[in-house]
Amino acid sequence: MPESISEVALTSAHTVSQAKKPLRIAVLVSGSGSNLQVLINAMQASALPIEIVGVISNREDAYAITRAKDASIPVAVLSHVASGKRMGIKTFESHASEQLKVWQPDLIVLAGFMRVLSGPFIDNAPAPMINLHPALLPAYKGLDTHQRAIQAGERHHGCSIHVVTAELDAGAVLTQALLAVNQKDTADSLQARVQKLEHQLLPWTILLLAKGALSLGTAPLAHQQNTFMPTLPLKLYLND
Ligand code: GAR
């Protein structure tokens, strides 16, 4: 839940159209990177006022790396030490911090990033951090969200974008996209349907942030004027 409604502000359409500088975004990934691809496509089509300044992957086999390289976006792969063991989280965070300081993002986006980050890393990051989570938070934090939603007989499911805090999947929820669970849905079919929502929710949320229509409770990411106060999370109801 948001700390307070007053942390959020929507600007007038006039103000929105005046934003000039692209929002510098760093994206953290672990897997296929379909959400990263949506952002790359939007950036390349000038459909979003963003510049993806770099991608960090904690897995060297993540297809997201290929997507970033194909788009000539700098990539840091922080996955393994020389012995072949998984990089410890402290080592990962220290390399990631250095890299982020070089890229100087305005916003850090966790898009399918599957490592749990520490409080000090999050607090000392050079930009606010948001995470895309495949459930309607605060329900179904953690893993296996689709299976758990089906088992619980949920009638609605979806995805959320929230501010990253030290407590897993517990930061203020900014936006959500919802769908109705079908009787025939399996975890796989539900995951596929929710991913389609994610591909709309992520750019929509970043657009609101880039235009200063949503703030993260810290310094606004864009100039804000003529504010009014919506209740968070903002919800997209979509038919698929
Ligand atoms: C997304 O569905 C996202 O919701 C999920 O990983 C997938 C990554 O897909 N994230 C989490 O589960 C985070 N806890 P992608 O690599 O194709 O964007």
Side-chain angles (χ1 to χ4, degrees):
M1 295 299 291
E3 276 80 34
S4 91
I5 287 173
S6 62
E7 289 178 1
V8 181
L10 281 177
T11 53
S12 69
H14 179 65
T15 307
V16 162
S17 66
Q18 287 182 340
K20 284 191 182 111
K21 275 192 184 171
L23 193 69
R24 295 171 62 81
I25 292 180
V27 186
L28 271 60
V29 296
S30 301
S32 154
S34 67
N35 284 283
L36 170 66
Q37 189 67 56
V38 167
L39 297 183
I40 291 172
N41 294 349
M43 175 180 71
Q44 290 177 337
S46 299
L48 272 183
I50 60 168
E51 180 186 354
I52 304 173
V53 293
V55 169
I56 294 176
S57 174
N58 71 317
R59 294 186 57 117
E60 61 195 4
D61 59 352
Y63 186 62
I65 296 168
T66 305
R67 297 182 193 269
K69 286 186 176 166
D70 285 352
S72 303
I73 295 168
V75 183
V77 181
L78 305 176
S79 65
H80 291 90
V81 290
S83 64
K85 283 188 192 153
R86 194 176 187 226
M87 186 184 278
I89 191 65
K90 279 194 178 160
T91 313
F92 171 87
E93 289 183 344
S94 122
H95 288 306
S97 283
E98 280 173 34
Q99 189 59 74
L100 290 169
K101 275 180 201 146
V102 172
W103 288 337
Q104 297 195 341
D106 301 313
L107 178 69
I108 300 165
V109 178
L110 310 191
F113 182 70
M114 302 304 286
R115 287 202 87 166
V116 178
L117 297 167
S118 73
F121 176 78
I122 295 162
D123 293 344
N124 295 314
M129 219 177 277
I130 59 172
N131 179 47
L132 170 63
H133 182 74
L136 297 174
L137 293 170
Y140 307 111
K141 296 171 181 167
L143 299 174
D144 302 322
T145 56
H146 311 300
Q147 185 62 43
R148 286 156 61 207
I150 287 176
Q151 273 169 356
E154 298 288 357
R155 294 180 60 198
H156 292 95
H157 187 50
C159 49
S160 306
I161 293 180
H162 67 93
V163 178
V164 177
T165 58
E167 195 182 339
L168 186 68
D169 300 330
V173 180
L174 301 171
T175 56
Q176 293 186 318
L178 293 78
L179 51 66
V181 179
N182 295 334
Q183 292 252 325
K184 288 188 198 160
D185 264 321
T186 61
D188 285 349
S189 71
L190 200 50
Q191 178 182 24
R193 294 174 63 218
V194 168
Q195 269 218 328
K196 284 190 189 166
L197 298 192
E198 294 176 359
H199 296 163
Q200 297 177 70
L201 188 68
L202 186 58
W204 184 68
T205 305
I206 289 176
L207 181 65
L208 293 177
L209 289 166
K211 297 294 192 182
L214 260 182
S215 85
L216 297 168
T218 53
L221 292 172
H223 181 62
Q224 296 186 2
Q225 270 182 357
N226 302 332
T227 58
F228 69 93
M229 310 294 180
T231 304
L232 286 184
L234 300 176
K235 295 193 185 191
L236 270 185
Y237 288 88
L238 297 169
N239 293 317
D240 61 324

